Amino acid sequence: MKVKRLRNVPWVSGMLVVINVIVFLMCTFSGNVLYNKGELDVVSVLAGKQYGRLLWAMFLHAGIEHIFNNMVLLFFLGAMIEKVTGHVTFLVLYFLSGIGGNLCSLLVKLLQMDYSASVGASGAIFGLDGVLLAWILLYRQSMPDVTPKRVILMIALSLYSGFTAQNIDNAAHVGGLVTGFLAGLLFCALRKHRRQKKTKEVWT
C-alpha cells in the first residue's frame, strides 16, 4: 500500500515547479546573466551551436505572471498525467514536448528571419495537453471524468488565448502540443502492446 501511495505522489511535477521557481528567483537577483546563457534564439542555437538552450529555455520565465500561470498548469495538469504514466515516463514526455516545441519555435523564427529570444515552459505544458488527449482517446476508462471534448476545448481555448495575445511564442505552443500528442500516442501503443503480450503469455 505504501509503495502504491508513493507512486501516486506527483513528485516529478512538484520537483519541476520547485526548480523553475528557484531559477526564477536566481534570475531576479542576477539580472540578465541566466537569460543571456539560456534564452532561445536562432543566432545562439544555430550559429553559436549552443543546443543546450533548447532545454535551458524551458526553465526561464519573463515575469511573475508568466511563471505563476505556467507553474499552476504544470502542477495540476502534471499531477493528473504523472499518476497514470508513472514518474520516469512523465519526465521523458515533458522534456520531449518542451524540446519539440522549442525546435518548432526555432524553425518558424528562422523562416520569418525573427532574431528575438523566447523563454518559458509553455511548450512542454502544451505537450502535456497533447499527452492527455492521446491518453483519453486510448484509455478513456482510466479517467471517466475527463472526456476528449473537454480536453479539446481546453486546448482550443489555450491556443486562442495565445494567438490573441502579444509577445507569445505560439510556434512553441503548437510544436509542444503536437510533439506531446504523438509521443503520448506512442507511449499508449507501447503500453497496450506490453499488456497484450503479458496476456498471451499467461494464457500460453
Side-chain angles (χ1 to χ4, degrees):
M1 289 295 291
K2 287 184 178 180
V3 174
K4 190 174 182 179
R5 286 178 184 175
L6 285 174
R7 287 177 181 173
N8 289 334
V9 174
W11 60 267
V12 174
S13 301
M15 177 189 68
L16 288 170
V17 170
V18 169
I19 292 174
N20 274 278
V21 171
I22 290 174
V23 171
F24 180 73
L25 291 175
M26 290 172 64
C27 290
T28 301
F29 294 108
S30 63
N32 293 325
V33 176
L34 293 179
Y35 290 110
N36 292 337
K37 291 182 178 296
E39 61 189 7
L40 190 73
D41 67 278
V42 172
V43 176
S44 297
V45 176
L46 299 182
K49 298 183 179 180
Q50 299 175 27
Y51 306 119
R53 289 175 182 260
L54 291 167
L55 179 64
W56 311 140
M58 295 166 56
F59 294 96
L60 298 172
H61 289 84
I64 284 287
E65 185 178 354
H66 189 202
I67 189 170
F68 178 79
N69 291 338
N70 277 351
M71 293 306 101
V72 169
L73 288 171
L74 171 56
F75 184 76
F76 289 103
L77 184 60
M80 185 180 0
I81 297 172
E82 187 178 345
K83 183 178 179 180
V84 294
T85 63
H87 308 303
V88 176
T89 301
F90 170 78
L91 191 62
V92 171
L93 291 171
Y94 179 82
F95 281 123
L96 279 177
S97 299
I99 293 172
N102 284 341
L103 284 172
C104 184
S105 172
L106 280 182
L107 176 60
V108 171
K109 286 180 178 179
L110 185 63
L111 292 175
Q112 296 179 345
M113 298 184 70
D114 180 359
Y115 301 108
S116 64
S118 57
V119 294
S122 302
I125 294 169
F126 267 87
L128 295 182
D129 285 328
V131 172
L132 180 61
L133 179 59
W135 185 272
I136 292 303
L137 290 175
L138 296 180
Y139 284 104
R140 186 175 175 181
Q141 67 277 7
S142 64
M143 292 183 182
D145 296 329
V146 184
T147 65
K149 286 184 179 180
R150 287 184 180 180
V151 177
I152 292 172
L153 179 60
M154 177 180 67
I155 292 172
L157 289 174
S158 297
L159 288 173
Y160 175 78
S161 177
F163 280 107
T164 55
Q166 293 182 341
N167 299 321
I168 301 295
D169 192 345
N170 291 296
H173 292 179
V174 174
L177 177 64
V178 173
T179 302
F181 180 69
L182 294 177
L185 286 179
L186 178 60
F187 166 73
C188 290
L190 292 173
R191 185 186 176 100
K192 278 194 170 184
H193 176 71
R194 284 197 299 267
R195 286 191 171 183
Q196 290 173 353
K197 189 176 180 181
K198 286 182 179 179
T199 303
K200 288 181 180 179
E201 288 176 353
V202 170
W203 282 100
T204 56

